[in-house]
Amino acid sequence: MEEVKISEVKTDEKSSGLQFFEGRIQAGFPSPAQGEYADSIDLNRALVTNPAATFCARVIGNSMVDAGINEGDLLIIDRSLTPQDGNIAVCFVDGDFTVKRLAVRDDGIFLTPANASFPEIRVSEDSNFQVWGVVSHIIKRV
């Protein structure tokens, strides 16, 4: 099973802002720069809705590459969100953490990878299973 390292997101009263370009950056044809630099953006405030229930984890493995989640990516995981069919979630299954897409079907709950090389995991009634949190953001290093 794919390993996920978990760590808590810490926030405090101090802002840890980065310089922020207010305009939009084209991913298609270039256009003239129209924005101005704002003071800063605080990524904790921009990415974390509920700090007390939010954690981050670094991905190890490649079972979710077709969902845009690669080894080394940082996941922002919100434990306050109610897990729903189709969500990408961090789950605890029989002693291990894994990140997969939740699939709730008539015949049970399945943890679906986003890589055809990996099998789907059926959560049995005997499994020690918990949805630990819903992935709200993916942070990538390029």
Side-chain angles (χ1 to χ4, degrees):
M1 193 169 300
E2 194 165 16
E3 182 181 337
V4 178
K5 292 184 178 182
I6 307 292
S7 59
E8 186 175 1
V9 173
K10 302 277 187 189
T11 59
D12 59 18
E13 297 298 318
K14 295 180 182 177
S15 173
S16 54
L18 299 172
Q19 192 171 24
F20 182 62
F21 182 70
E22 194 68 46
R24 305 229 179 211
I25 298 176
Q26 293 287 334
F29 293 104
S31 67
Q34 296 175 355
E36 296 291 327
Y37 284 100
D39 290 337
S40 66
I41 183 171
D42 183 334
L43 293 178
N44 284 321
R45 287 193 173 100
L47 301 178
V48 178
T49 306
N50 188 347
T54 302
F55 293 79
C56 62
R58 179 98 37 210
V59 176
I60 299 172
N62 59 2
S63 73
M64 295 298 289
V65 294
D66 293 335
I69 299 174
N70 300 93
E71 183 157 355
D73 288 352
L74 187 65
L75 304 178
I76 306 296
I77 304 152
D78 190 337
R79 297 190 75 187
S80 70
L81 297 175
T82 302
Q84 298 180 25
D85 180 50
N87 285 154
I88 294 175
V90 172
C91 301
F92 182 80
V93 184
D94 296 329
D96 293 315
F97 285 100
T98 188
V99 59
K100 299 285 185 282
R101 188 173 303 279
L102 297 174
V104 180
R105 303 183 196 139
D106 291 338
D107 58 339
I109 297 172
F110 295 83
L111 304 179
T112 305
N115 180 335
S117 300
F118 287 81
E120 190 171 63
I121 300 168
R122 185 179 195 282
V123 178
S124 72
E125 291 181 17
D126 298 331
S127 296
N128 180 5
F129 172 72
Q130 178 184 10
V131 176
W132 199 76
V134 175
V135 175
S136 61
H137 295 85
I138 304 164
I139 299 173
K140 299 182 154 302
R141 180 175 293 166
V142 293

